[in-house]
């Protein structure tokens, strides 16, 4: 969403922070790039005297696995120092789909490259016509243990890969996305 950054040399003393996630990282409900939380994070860190650039790599409707594929295929080439991961809601919505768990077992992301499945528009159209997906809108009652295990597997893989490439990982999430209170959201 923010200005494009090309791989290549950069100032050594500038900390590069890369934010990945779905629509809340992208800033789907805000009108300008400057209003996204990654842009606000950059301004706050710079105001405190840090030499930092924060890149917004959020994509609406993407799951953690989609972001992992994007990291492997494109974003690791930017040599981030820190990767902030904000995934949860889309993964919960995808949880009932057996492909979510199956994809979590694939190591080589090139085997997952399905551009039509990564398109927010294609997924919206598919959901419109898929009766099962409409039942997923009820989310809380359909979270599968296999999907929870898949999410944990994806997180472990992402943290391991970030470490291998010298990037620190920061995991962030929303306080609750299923029900009005934290207590009601535990599963």
């Amino acid at each position: 969403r923010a200005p494009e950054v090309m791989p290549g040399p950069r100032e050594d003393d500038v900390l590069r922070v890369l934010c990945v996630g779905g629509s809340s990282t992208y800033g789907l409900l805000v009108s300008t790039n400057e209003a996204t939380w990654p842009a606000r994070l950059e301004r706050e860190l710079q105001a405190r005297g840090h030499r930092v650039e924060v890149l917004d790599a959020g994509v609406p409707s993407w799951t953690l696995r989609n972001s992992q594929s994007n990291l492997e295929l494109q974003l690791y080439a930017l040599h981030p120092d820190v990767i902030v991961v904000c995934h949860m809601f889309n993964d919960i919505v995808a949880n009932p789909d057996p492909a979510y768990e199956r994809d979590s077992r694939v190591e080589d992301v090139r085997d997952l490259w399905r551009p039509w499945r990564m398109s927010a528009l294609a997924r919206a159209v598919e959901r419109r016509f898929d009766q099962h997906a409409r039942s997923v809108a009820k989310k809380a009652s359909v979270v599968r243990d296999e999907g929870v295990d898949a999410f944990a597997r994806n997180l472990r893989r992402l943290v391991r890969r970030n470490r291998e490439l010298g990037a620190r990982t920061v995991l962030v999430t929303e306080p609750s996305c299923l029900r009005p209170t934290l207590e009601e959201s535990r599963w």
Side-chain angles (χ1 to χ4, degrees):
R1 174 173 184 143
E4 188 171 343
V5 175
M6 300 305 289
R10 63 183 167 100
E11 295 180 55
D12 288 334
D13 63 338
V14 174
L15 183 75
R16 180 170 280 169
V17 177
L18 178 64
C19 301
V20 298
S23 57
S24 57
T25 301
Y26 173 82
L28 187 63
L29 300 178
V30 298
S31 59
T32 66
N33 290 344
E34 294 75 29
T36 65
W37 69 260
R40 295 174 70 170
L41 173 64
E42 180 179 70
R43 284 194 307 276
E44 181 65 29
L45 291 171
Q46 288 175 350
R48 293 179 183 199
H50 300 285
R51 290 188 39 84
V52 63
E53 70 174 339
V54 179
L55 308 176
D56 185 345
V59 179
S61 85
W62 273 16
T63 64
L64 177 58
R65 193 62 173 147
N66 296 133
S67 287
Q68 282 181 310
S69 296
N70 195 26
L71 282 161
E72 289 289 345
L73 297 171
Q74 298 182 76
L75 299 177
Y76 283 138
L78 298 174
H79 304 286
D81 300 297
V82 177
I83 299 174
V84 180
V85 181
C86 182
H87 274 288
M88 182 175 68
F89 184 80
N90 296 330
D91 291 271
I92 291 173
V93 171
N95 176 291
D97 184 350
Y100 179 78
E101 192 276 335
R102 197 171 44 248
D103 287 352
S104 76
R105 297 182 181 283
V106 176
E107 286 298 323
D108 188 342
V109 297
R110 291 171 294 195
D111 295 337
L112 297 172
W113 184 243
R114 300 176 206 124
W116 67 91
R117 291 290 300 152
M118 296 174 84
S119 159
L121 176 61
R123 292 178 71 186
V125 168
E126 182 180 71
R127 273 194 292 259
R128 177 78 173 127
F129 295 104
D130 183 359
Q131 185 65 26
H132 174 70
R134 278 185 241 150
S135 69
V136 170
K138 297 176 185 169
K139 298 179 260 341
S141 62
V142 294
V143 173
R144 297 172 48 241
D145 289 339
E146 298 88 351
V148 173
D149 293 342
F151 185 74
R153 193 170 22 261
N154 288 334
L155 277 176
R156 283 191 299 275
R157 179 185 297 108
L158 179 98
V159 170
R160 182 188 75 237
R161 186 69 174 130
N162 290 352
R163 279 186 187 146
E164 290 171 0
L165 296 171
R168 294 181 180 187
T169 305
V170 176
L171 303 176
V172 299
T173 190
E174 300 167 23
S176 169
C177 76
L178 294 178
R179 299 196 178 104
T181 69
L182 179 61
E183 186 59 40
E184 290 174 321
S185 295
R186 295 186 182 182
W187 31 278

